[in-house]
């Protein structure tokens, strides 16, 4: 039976470290890290995420500012708010909650954020830094996965790492981060042929697909480390990952649960990125 990697515990450790460092920053340099979260529209899931971010800010002693704009807000108005936040010295991190309504260009909005305040790590400048191996801000979920692996003592150099999913927010950045740690990385997607053979080679398998229980035991090598990024709402209302947990846990050496795995790491790393932005602002 695999060891379960406890994301709640690791995320709490990180939030404690961030809180401590933020306290020192306040005492020594009178800087309080500030995060602005911009939400356009009334998407219920987005509202929950924004609420969690504000709560996490309060816990670690950050200032958090929320901008809740109606769904009909035009791009120009949103860009104006971002330009204002770019100049605001009390704000170190700017996050625009995605997805945005269809009439607003996500690319334009992300590109308008000052890269030094881009705590989501989605600005092309920061994406470029990730590709060249000199990242300033790394997207929170992939950074959280790397932190989980590091804190669990999992060596990556020379290992076969397989990432299923190639999105800009999870699949691509995690593949680049694994590569930077000298893993031999394979990326899979919906057009990959014979997925079980490819995933079956993985010493470290990352599932970021968005399909409940898709990764079965016959797709996993004995002793693999399995990281489940998926968050899927089942018909019965329960949350499920992309990995068939029970059968895969019987074969893996380490596995992350859903919930309580990668999920809590994402917000913890947002706090870390905001702290890093505040530290770099001086
Ligand atoms: P996307 O929908 O953007 O990407 C899904 C990827 O999975 C695509 O690259 C797609 O391939 C691939 N895929 C779909 N079906 C298959 C298949 N049958 N075989 C192989 N590959 C397949 O999703 P995200 O990356 O945004 O999110 C993935 C999951 O992670 C979701 O469940 C999401 O909720 C969760 N998530 C969790 C977070 C957390 O904090 N825990 C944060 C972000 C996401 P193709 O490109 O060919 O279409």
């Amino acid at each position: 039976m695999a060891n379960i990697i406890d994301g709640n515990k690791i995320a709490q450790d990180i939030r404690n470290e961030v809180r401590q460092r933020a306290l020192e920053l306040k005492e020594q340099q009178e800087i309080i890290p500030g995060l602005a979260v911009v939400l356009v529209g009334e998407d219920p899931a987005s509202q929950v995420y924004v609420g969690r971010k504000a709560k996490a800010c309060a816990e670690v002693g950050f200032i958090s500012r929320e901008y809740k704009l109606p769904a009909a807000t035009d791009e120009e108005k949103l860009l104006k708010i971002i330009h204002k936040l770019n100049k605001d010295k009390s704000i170190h991190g700017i996050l625009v909650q995605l997805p945005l309504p269809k009439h607003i260009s996500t690319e334009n909005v992300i590109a308008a954020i000052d890269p030094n305040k881009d705590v989501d790590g989605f600005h092309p400048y920061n994406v470029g830094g990730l590709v060249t191996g000199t990242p300033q801000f790394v997207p929170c979920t992939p950074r959280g996965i790397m932190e989980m692996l590091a804190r669990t003592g999992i060596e990556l150099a020379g290992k076969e790492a397989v990432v299923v999913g190639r999105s800009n927010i999870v699949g691509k950045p995690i593949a680049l981060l694994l590569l930077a740690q000298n893993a031999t990385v394979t990326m899979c997607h919906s057009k990959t042929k014979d997925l079980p053979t490819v995933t079956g080679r993985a010493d470290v398998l990352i599932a970021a697909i968005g399909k409940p229980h898709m990764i079965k035991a016959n797709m996993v090598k004995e002793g693999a480390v399995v990281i489940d990024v998926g968050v899927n709402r089942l018909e019965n209302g329960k949350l499920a990952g992309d990995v068939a947990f029970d059968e895969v846990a019987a074969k893996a050496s380490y596995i992350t649960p859903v919930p309580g795995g990668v999920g809590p790491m994402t917000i913890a790393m947002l706090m870390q990125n905001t702290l890093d932005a505040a530290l770099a602002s001086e």
Side-chain angles (χ1 to χ4, degrees):
M1 179 72 185
N3 295 294
I4 293 171
I5 304 177
D6 185 347
N8 284 323
K9 159 87 175 62
I10 300 173
Q12 186 62 58
D13 290 347
I14 291 168
R15 291 201 302 272
N16 291 345
E17 291 161 20
V18 168
R19 184 174 52 217
Q20 183 56 37
R21 189 70 188 89
L23 202 65
E24 290 163 11
L25 194 62
K26 190 175 165 190
E27 281 169 1
Q28 292 160 9
Q29 296 180 56
E30 293 177 0
I31 295 174
I32 304 175
L35 175 68
V37 179
V38 184
L39 173 65
V40 185
E42 283 89 37
D43 178 59
S46 293
Q47 286 183 341
V48 171
Y49 294 140
V50 168
R52 280 191 200 152
K53 286 165 188 173
K55 199 169 151 232
C57 280
E59 189 197 333
V60 297
F62 291 1
I63 292 167
S64 80
R65 224 188 283 159
E66 281 177 33
Y67 292 79
K68 292 191 171 168
L69 309 172
T73 303
D74 62 26
E75 190 173 311
E76 201 184 333
K77 168 121 197 264
L78 180 55
L79 291 175
K80 260 191 195 154
I81 291 172
I82 291 171
H83 292 314
K84 226 170 134 193
L85 291 170
N86 283 343
K87 291 195 197 116
D88 187 334
K89 287 215 163 16
S90 65
I91 293 297
H92 304 94
I94 303 169
L95 182 152
V96 178
Q97 187 67 43
L98 301 180
L100 286 168
K102 289 206 165 40
H103 65 276
I104 297 178
S105 155
T106 305
E107 286 74 27
N108 289 351
V109 171
I110 289 172
I113 298 172
D114 178 346
N116 296 308
K117 296 189 178 189
D118 170 40
V119 286
D120 249 345
F122 294 161
H123 189 287
Y125 176 87
N126 286 315
V127 176
L130 190 57
V131 174
T132 54
T134 53
Q136 183 181 8
F137 292 111
V138 171
C140 301
T141 302
R143 187 175 182 194
I145 295 169
M146 295 308 286
E147 201 60 41
M148 285 179 118
L149 293 170
R151 289 180 188 233
T152 308
I154 291 161
E155 279 291 323
L156 294 168
K159 296 280 175 65
E160 289 277 349
V162 175
V163 179
V164 190
R166 56 175 165 181
S167 71
N168 290 337
I169 61 167
V170 190
K172 282 180 199 161
I174 190 67
L176 288 164
L177 291 167
L178 291 163
L179 188 63
Q181 293 298 314
N182 298 316
T184 301
V185 182
T186 305
M187 293 189 73
C188 302
H189 44 76
S190 66
K191 309 289 185 295
T192 298
K193 289 204 176 109
D194 194 7
L195 188 65
T197 301
V198 184
T199 56
R201 287 204 300 262
D203 300 310
V204 177
L205 178 61
I206 315 279
I209 311 159
K211 300 233 159 106
H213 303 152
M214 204 192 102
I215 302 293
K216 309 272 193 245
N218 68 346
M219 301 169 76
V220 177
K221 183 162 98 175
E222 195 79 43
V225 174
V226 179
I227 306 291
D228 189 351
V229 188
V231 179
N232 308 289
R233 183 74 62 185
L234 300 177
E235 274 177 15
N236 64 10
K238 287 195 174 161
L239 283 186
D242 290 343
V243 175
F245 184 86
D246 290 341
E247 58 180 271
V248 173
K251 249 179 135 180
S253 59
Y254 288 91
I255 190 166
T256 62
V258 177
V262 174
M265 294 299 293
T266 299
I267 290 189
M269 299 327 291
L270 175 64
M271 298 301 111
Q272 181 71 59
N273 277 352
T274 306
L275 174 68
D276 293 350
L279 288 167
S281 70
E282 278 311 282

